[in-house]
Amino acid sequence: MASESGGVPRPVVGQGVNVVVLGAAEATILGGRVLLDRGRGLVVETSRAPGTGWARGARVILIYAGAESVFTLSGVVGEALTPNRFYVIPSSGPREMEKREYIRAELSILSAVDRHGAALGGLAPARVELSASGFRWYGASDATAGERVTLRFEVPGESGRTIGLPADVVRVERRGGTAEVAGRFVEIGPEDRDTVLRLVFQQRYAELGLLEES
């Protein structure tokens, strides 16, 4: 990553980003990647177009990860190139987000905690507290502290896409027939990491104050 704004990096070509579209009545956060760095601005491609498409002057925030931190870069769409590509001109320098701004969000999703080596079962609705570094999952499980598991879940709004995130179990608390399984992710890939961040930000959109910028 190239550094600017006092050493805070901006995203590099090929890097995955989450694009927050400001001004929408509801949360609009799209997955994407940087295609080109023109120096002044960046060409970004998203997984789909927002609403009726990109429009010049629309305001966006790019959210991206690097090392152990998460960064944001606010900007204005300078040019709509295709239905899902646009040129964004930064309106301020990138900044590192504080941990409290993105640490976790609770979701109800189709999911399962699979023990290492066990046959995969079906996914069922469960409550999951998700963060960039780990999870807390609530349901029936035989997992024990110290073992390797995989948190498997269907990504909401992505046509049945399912991902599996390897994790080490750090704590299990049982209450009757259910358990609270807490795990720390290991070997999480860039695409899956961006998906987790997108889900967390989607859930916490209003809490993060992004609506106030619209």
Side-chain angles (χ1 to χ4, degrees):
M1 288 186 179
S3 292
E4 59 175 46
S5 186
V8 178
R10 69 189 237 169
V12 297
V13 173
Q15 182 172 1
V17 295
N18 287 306
V19 183
V20 180
V21 185
L22 298 175
E26 297 182 356
T28 303
I29 303 180
L30 307 172
R33 64 190 178 101
V34 176
L35 295 183
L36 182 66
D37 189 338
R38 291 181 176 174
R40 183 186 179 200
L42 304 164
V43 175
V44 177
E45 179 180 61
T46 52
S47 55
R48 60 181 176 84
T52 57
W54 296 106
R56 185 171 185 173
R59 291 181 298 123
V60 298
I61 297 177
L62 306 184
I63 302 173
Y64 52 101
E68 299 299 319
S69 300
V70 176
F71 306 95
T72 65
L73 179 63
S74 299
V76 176
V77 175
E79 184 179 357
L81 304 174
T82 71
N84 64 333
R85 291 183 183 180
F86 65 94
Y87 174 60
V88 58
I89 302 171
S91 54
S92 61
R95 75 173 184 89
E96 182 177 351
M97 295 188 73
E98 297 180 17
K99 298 291 184 181
R100 63 179 176 80
E101 293 182 281
Y102 68 90
I103 189 167
R104 62 175 62 87
E106 190 172 284
L107 305 94
S108 293
I109 51 179
L110 293 173
S111 59
V113 171
D114 303 315
R115 302 181 71 185
H116 185 68
L120 298 182
L123 301 179
R127 185 162 55 98
V128 183
E129 188 177 273
L130 197 60
S131 76
S133 60
F135 69 92
R136 287 199 294 179
W137 182 88
Y138 301 86
S141 176
D142 295 327
T144 58
E147 74 173 316
R148 177 67 52 87
V149 298
T150 298
L151 173 66
R152 188 163 48 95
F153 62 88
E154 185 175 295
V155 181
E158 295 198 14
S159 302
R161 176 189 169 206
T162 300
I163 63 175
L165 305 175
D168 290 332
V169 177
V170 296
R171 186 181 70 258
V172 178
E173 295 183 7
R174 289 188 166 82
R175 303 178 184 86
T178 62
E180 174 190 328
V181 181
R184 182 179 298 112
F185 294 135
V186 295
E187 302 171 359
I188 183 170
E191 183 177 355
D192 289 343
R193 178 192 58 195
D194 290 340
T195 296
V196 170
L197 286 174
R198 183 161 62 256
L199 290 175
V200 171
F201 287 123
Q202 190 86 19
Q203 188 70 17
R204 296 198 58 205
Y205 186 80
E207 298 174 36
L208 290 170
L210 299 178
L211 285 174
E212 296 176 3
E213 300 186 35
S214 61

